Amino acid sequence: DNNYYQTLIDAKESPTNSALINGISDMIYGRGLYATNAARKPDEYAMMVQLFTEDCMRKICDDFYTFGQAAYQVIYDTSHTKVMEVAHMPIQNLRPEKMNDEGYIEAYYYCDDWANARRNDEHQRIPCFGKSKEGLEVMVIKPYKAGFHYFSPVEYQSGLDYAFVEIELAKFHLNNIYNRFSSNLILNFNNGVPEEDQQRMIETKIKDKFTGTEGDSVIVAFNDSQETAASIESISLPDAHNQYQFIAEEASRKIMVSHRVVSPLLFGLPHNGGLGSNADEIKMAALLFDNTVIKPMQRVIIESVNAILSFNGASLNTFFLTSQPLEFSEMEIEEVDVDTAQEKTGIELSKDNLDEVAELLIEKGEELGDGWE
């Protein structure tokens, strides 16, 4: 229906799915972009900070995980020789045009509301980065996924059905509350069948008196006599509460599997483990999740940043500063210099924490390089 992105937005009504998307997006951004050679290239670093603002990069990280893709607006100078501004563009407002003969998408079309777009509507065509000499281009961050040419499915694609299970289960329980946990009732009038207008008037008055706007728990029936009245048989679900609990727990578990969550404690989600092991579990889970999920996504975004910086003649070793505590950042390399330490740990080293990092690495048997002096 040309509205896949809206489906992903709707899936965030699932509490588990929403918590994971928000948490992972924050982890990808961490504390923002930095460069290991920022001190040696202050002008180029200043250019990066000016082009890729905090607000822009937060939105890019959020889109990239929520939708599986993200997009920049790239604005050039009049001679098309330098990028003057980079801004976030909502990826849900873009649709690709047909690929060229070489299999590349050369432009995207922009619309505020694709769900209500008509076939004959004219939409703004925006060329892709490096595909034109226009003043505005779009760079779409679209990681390769086998079998998908125009869009990349989200990391949690396999958990979407379970996200909607959570949503529908919540609606079911909410409806029970609105109906005061009572079964539907049938009210029989056994003194003949009146005209349709009179039936509607009687039914409206009864429902206005005995039901609220939240629920409709009364069925009104008109019969010629009591012998022809409708009958109701209630079919109860045995151990219903246990079945609902199983469905809720199973849906939550499968959603976490689709997001490749190592431990729910990382996102403040319920966990069955003991309190005594939580600290060690969070530490190991944070390291594993960072290396297997967060860093690969960060690398894709960093490639897009470096491509734009390269157009402007800048060469920086960019990375995302981690939001993890220092004691959670470990390196398993034999020799570590200052730049490598920053890039591997995502920690911006300074005179205030240099000794602390060095002592931590020495305790772990690491050999420090000459850069630490």
Side-chain angles (χ1 to χ4, degrees):
D1 59 359
N2 197 31
N3 208 21
Y4 169 63
Y5 291 132
Q6 186 59 47
T7 300
L8 298 177
I9 294 173
D10 293 341
K12 291 190 73 174
E13 292 183 28
S14 158
T16 304
N17 194 48
S18 179
L20 294 177
I21 290 175
N22 295 336
I24 294 173
S25 299
D26 288 341
M27 287 182 178
I28 295 173
Y29 178 77
R31 292 187 291 119
L33 283 175
Y34 192 64
T36 59
N37 51 354
R40 295 190 294 275
K41 298 182 177 182
D43 292 340
E44 294 182 10
Y45 178 68
M47 178 196 301
M48 183 191 78
V49 173
Q50 180 183 5
L51 289 177
F52 299 95
T53 64
E54 178 179 337
D55 179 68
C56 171
M57 294 310 299
R58 282 190 180 278
K59 292 176 179 178
I60 289 293
C61 292
D62 186 73
D63 276 6
F64 185 66
Y65 193 76
T66 302
F67 300 118
Q69 301 181 155
Y72 303 103
Q73 297 180 64
V74 183
I75 303 170
Y76 296 89
D77 60 5
T78 54
S79 59
H80 199 88
T81 57
K82 184 178 181 181
V83 175
M84 301 301 295
E85 184 180 350
V86 176
H88 163 261
M89 178 175 283
I91 189 67
Q92 66 268 27
N93 293 344
L94 296 176
R95 296 292 186 274
E97 71 175 16
K98 188 177 180 180
M99 293 187 296
N100 61 20
D101 295 337
E102 297 177 354
Y104 294 104
I105 299 170
E106 295 185 346
Y108 282 77
Y109 289 91
Y110 182 90
C111 177
D112 287 327
D113 185 8
W114 285 102
N116 296 314
R118 293 172 295 183
R119 184 178 295 273
N120 295 328
D121 290 346
E122 292 187 6
H123 305 295
Q124 182 183 2
R125 182 183 185 273
I126 308 175
C128 291
F129 179 73
K131 299 295 184 182
S132 76
K133 292 295 182 181
E134 296 185 19
L136 172 65
E137 292 180 340
V138 60
M139 172 182 277
V140 175
I141 310 171
K142 185 175 73 68
Y144 171 78
K145 299 290 184 180
F148 293 86
H149 303 293
Y150 291 98
F151 298 91
S152 291
V154 292
E155 291 288 326
Y156 54 94
Q157 182 75 31
S158 59
L160 285 177
D161 285 343
Y162 286 98
F164 286 106
V165 166
E166 269 199 351
I167 294 170
E168 293 303 318
L169 193 60
K171 290 179 180 178
F172 172 77
H173 289 311
L174 184 62
N175 190 56
N176 275 339
I177 294 172
Y178 283 157
N179 287 322
R180 298 173 296 282
F181 297 99
S182 61
S183 302
N184 283 340
L185 303 176
I186 185 166
L187 180 60
N188 287 298
F189 287 86
N190 302 320
N191 55 348
V193 180
E195 297 293 333
E196 289 187 4
D197 290 342
Q198 191 175 2
Q199 288 183 31
R200 282 194 293 269
M201 181 186 67
I202 295 172
E203 184 175 353
T204 299
K205 288 184 177 181
I206 291 173
K207 289 184 176 181
D208 286 344
K209 185 174 183 179
F210 294 105
T211 67
T213 58
E214 301 89 351
D216 185 359
S217 58
V218 176
I219 300 173
V220 180
F222 299 92
N223 315 293
D224 289 324
S225 65
Q226 188 173 357
E227 287 73 20
T228 61
S231 62
I232 294 180
E233 294 183 7
S234 177
I235 302 176
S236 61
L237 182 65
D239 297 326
H241 64 287
N242 290 329
Q243 296 193 36
Y244 296 145
Q245 183 177 356
F246 169 77
I247 294 173
E249 292 176 353
E250 181 70 1
S252 179
R253 188 176 69 85
K254 289 297 176 62
I255 293 170
M256 286 190 280
V257 170
S258 71
H259 286 274
R260 294 189 287 168
V261 171
V262 178
S263 170
L265 289 173
L266 288 174
F267 305 94
L269 297 176
H271 178 61
N272 296 326
L275 294 175
S277 63
N278 282 1
D280 291 337
E281 180 180 340
I282 292 177
K283 179 177 179 180
M284 296 307 299
L287 292 172
L288 182 59
F289 193 75
D290 187 59
N291 286 316
T292 59
V293 178
I294 302 301
K295 277 188 168 58
M297 295 184 186
Q298 289 176 337
R299 283 195 290 269
V300 176
I301 297 175
I302 287 171
E303 287 175 2
S304 68
V305 171
N306 289 339
I308 295 176
L309 291 176
S310 178
F311 184 89
N312 279 5
S315 177
L316 291 172
N317 189 22
T318 54
F319 67 96
F320 281 95
L321 290 168
T322 183
S323 57
Q324 296 179 11
L326 178 62
E327 59 269 20
F328 282 9
S329 301
E330 299 179 5
M331 293 171 288
E332 298 179 357
I333 51 179
E334 294 181 356
E335 185 170 312
V336 184
D337 59 25
V338 175
D339 285 352
T340 304
Q342 290 187 122
E343 184 178 0
K344 294 292 183 181
T345 63
I347 300 171
E348 181 183 357
L349 300 184
S350 65
K351 294 180 179 179
D352 295 333
N353 67 8
L354 196 59
D355 291 340
E356 185 180 358
V357 175
E359 290 176 4
L360 176 63
L361 295 173
I362 292 172
E363 288 176 1
K364 296 180 179 297
E366 304 287 357
E367 182 181 349
L368 305 184
D370 295 337
W372 289 88
E373 284 78 6

